[in-house]
Amino acid sequence: MSDLDQPIKLTSFSHGGGCGCKIAPGVLSEILKKSSGFPVPKELMVGIETADDAAVYKLNDEQALIATTDFFMPIVDDPYDFGRIAATNAISDVYAMGGTPIMALALVGMPINKLPLETIGKITEGGAAVCLEAGIPIAGGHTIDSVEPIYGLVVMGLVHPSKVKRNADARAGDILILGKPLGVGVLSAALKKDKLDAEGYAAMIANTTKLNKPGKALAQLDGVHALTDVTGFGLLGHLLELARGAGLTAELEMDRIPLLPGVEQLAHDGYFTGASGRNWDAYGHDVELGAGVQETGRILLSDPQTSGGLLVSCDPGSVDEVLALFQRDGFDHAAVIGRMAEGAARVKVA
């Protein structure tokens, strides 16, 4: 029996899945140090300086172009679900900048001699279904023969220059709101070891394929000062980007952070990704954990989120409106999780 006749288990092809594939924050920082110093046109509103979600280039007084890309190896074995997750994750960066996606390009790398064409077709079909939901075409792309399956998108979007929401503009006194529950990395680790039940899998897919559409509406609120999405560096990593960009301390309340069903027990039982540890090693020195925060909590806070939720920093007077916008689009787990305060650029967890 040839490889193409064997049952396909997509995750067996990848050394790491979803946003857990990301290069560790500390290593990435070293790499990007050599990318600075190049001439920057005045029209480039957002570049690599604050590790924001996407690049933004001002076209005219009414329009700015958002450009982003994201791709990774399988986080699940179902090819259609893998395509949906990867596309949702890539499009999220446009919403996180406050923009409207307008088109996508597909990035496809597949082990052609090991995966049936039908399986590859289901991956791209899943991605196309999410793009249809977002109201954008897949207008082109690029394919290669790769050792590991890789799928993702380049996504373009538009935003009014005055409505761009960066990750560096939080203010002291702002309230922090998270749009989706944490725990995707934990669930993916359990899945890879055949320890995730049907209910857990359904929760994981529902979370990772839900488009962060509230981002556009949130950008229209003057009280929303900073916006990002939580992905491979975990909640702590992306919150540290907010803190460092603004020169403030982020204060989290562990018991207010929404979690996917069952992830606390799974993490306690040892089901978590290697990326969680790499994340903590990279930025743990800038995190102060309160005495009541258990090891399981630390794992969940650094857990890599594939297609995670929007993280909003807004003034206290806008909290009800922000939560209402999330609720309107079915983000029932959106919750206040902390605040921004004067102090050194770090995160405190109580």
Side-chain angles (χ1 to χ4, degrees), residues 6-55:
Q6 299 284 351
I8 299 299
K9 189 174 176 66
L10 279 180
T11 54
S12 69
F13 289 89
S14 56
H15 72 278
C19 285
C21 299
K22 279 190 174 183
I23 293 174
V27 178
L28 181 60
S29 178
E30 287 299 312
I31 294 172
L32 292 179
K33 280 182 180 178
K34 298 182 180 181
S35 299
S36 60
F38 293 99
V40 176
K42 66 181 187 329
E43 293 86 0
L44 186 63
M45 298 179 64
V46 182
I48 65 171
E49 59 279 351
T50 60
D52 219 320
D53 299 293

Side-chain angles (χ1 to χ4, degrees), residues 134-174:
I136 61 173
I138 296 180
H142 186 63
T143 60
I144 62 169
D145 187 355
S146 172
V147 175
E148 294 179 285
I150 298 169
Y151 180 71
L153 301 174
V154 173
V155 188
M156 303 293 183
L158 291 174
V159 65
H160 192 284
S162 69
K163 299 300 181 181
V164 174
K165 296 298 180 182
R166 303 181 347 131
N167 68 354
D169 295 330
R171 302 177 188 177
D174 275 1

